[in-house]
Amino acid sequence: MILTDDNLRTLDRITSGPRAVLEYLDSVVEKGVKEGRFTLEEAQADPELALRRAGFLIRLNDYRAMLKAIRLIDAARDTETRPRAYEFRAKALMYTGRVAEAQRVIEACVKRFPDFDQGWRLAVVLRSGAGDRKGAKEAFRKYQAVYESESTEPDFISDDLIPVFERLIDAGGKLKDFEFAQYATVVAAGNDVAFNCLVCMIHNTDLLF
């Protein structure tokens, strides 16, 4: 195991963003190799470390960081048994333009891990973008059901904004449309102008296309 309990506690205290977390994880590996606790190859094969790094790389919203996230997941062992590996790989592929590959990954994810809510969440976006409205609606229902029973993280939309996403699916929404709507839901929480924009989206989904 590469990350110690002390390392994990330190990670929980870092609040300055993904770059700071990645720099800390790099320092953990460098120090561990120097002290002889593990080799660089062992660190690269560690699935927990790889997935933590991949998740924060994706949050950088940078093309090269996305590619590095994929390489880290590929190099680690046993990632096929971890739903987060499918989620992060699909996101990195999606954001680097390899949408068909991303969809194959996420379909494998929801088949193998049907109780993983974030897999269904991505399936909504990818199926809708591929023109599979029926499949996207099914994925949205599954996401809502799984989220209610076994949520792994905060909901990505509030209940009162579910109609926005339902209308996006009906209109064949693409990734950019869901991304905009998701961002706007966060902004709208304390902003009347943004909220009014969302109301407009609900009633005029065609404006997004």
Side-chain angles (χ1 to χ4, degrees), residues 37-48:
R37 287 182 47 231
F38 48 77
T39 65
L40 180 60
E41 290 73 20
E42 288 172 333
Q44 292 172 337
D46 184 79
E48 180 184 5

Side-chain angles (χ1 to χ4, degrees), residues 58-72:
I58 290 168
R59 287 176 58 185
L60 292 176
N61 197 28
D62 175 81
Y63 185 86
R64 287 176 296 181
M66 302 288 180
L67 296 180
K68 184 175 181 180
I70 295 171
R71 291 196 299 271
L72 287 172

